[in-house]
Amino acid sequence: MSGDAFSFKGLVVSSLEFKDNDRILTVLTSDLGCISVIAKGVTKNNSKHAYLCMPFLLCDFTVTFSKGYYYLKEADIIQNNVGISSSLEATTVAFHISEIIKFASFDNIATADIYELTNYAFYHLSRVPDDYKLVYSAFNWRLLFLM
């Protein structure tokens, strides 16, 4: 797999500054769980992938694997979930979900279910930000059940 490009769908859970113009994206996938993807040059003014600095995106990613790291080649937004940012409460719940996902350890059997649950939670928060209490409660309950 080293050097060969492969594609997957994933949710951007977080974005961390790395070096001068790069970011490390934490991406939740249905097969691999959470992986770190290095996105080189995304903070430059003319970067075609600058949008990836925003969390909660559902994207089609194409990456390469080299020297123990995943490197971004291409990405296309499937669902932007921009409605989350219209409410402070919805944003807080989405970041809560992201933090749990980044640090939870789950087996490969539950990975696809947790990916689907997180995708639904972000989608619903984006569409109906006022339902943040419902999403918060349902997500936490379902995640505990899955784990």
Side-chain angles (χ1 to χ4, degrees):
M1 179 161 70
S2 183
D4 293 336
F6 65 99
S7 298
F8 57 87
K9 288 182 181 157
L11 286 161
V12 177
V13 176
S14 69
S15 173
L16 179 68
E17 289 182 17
F18 179 67
K19 296 190 178 178
D20 289 334
N21 297 308
D22 306 338
R23 292 271 182 168
I24 298 177
L25 307 174
T26 302
V27 178
L28 176 64
T29 70
S30 64
D31 297 333
L32 304 171
C34 278
I35 62 171
S36 295
V37 176
I38 297 173
K40 297 185 102 17
V42 295
T43 59
K44 290 181 182 176
N45 289 337
N46 60 350
S47 173
K48 66 179 183 175
H49 296 302
Y51 60 87
L52 288 175
C53 297
M54 295 294 298
F56 318 130
L57 297 173
L58 174 63
C59 297
D60 271 327
F61 289 94
T62 302
V63 299
T64 58
F65 188 77
S66 177
K67 299 179 184 173
Y69 297 99
Y70 294 97
Y71 290 92
L72 179 70
K73 286 185 61 87
E74 290 294 324
D76 293 312
I77 296 175
I78 298 170
Q79 180 65 43
N80 64 19
N81 295 323
V82 72
I84 292 172
S85 62
S86 67
S87 161
L88 177 61
E89 293 85 359
T91 304
T92 302
V93 169
F95 275 112
H96 164 77
I97 291 169
S98 295
E99 289 299 305
I100 289 174
I101 293 302
K102 283 192 310 191
F103 297 109
S105 63
F106 36 89
D107 59 28
N108 288 340
I109 296 169
T111 300
D113 291 331
I114 292 171
Y115 167 80
E116 186 175 347
L117 174 65
T118 305
N119 193 14
Y120 284 139
F122 287 168
Y123 180 81
H124 191 78
L125 280 172
S126 180
R127 295 295 171 259
V128 190
D130 289 340
D131 277 358
Y132 66 91
K133 289 179 186 176
L134 173 68
V135 172
Y136 177 84
S137 300
F139 178 85
N140 287 331
W141 173 83
R142 186 68 180 155
L143 183 66
L144 286 172
F145 176 79
L146 290 171
M147 292 179 71

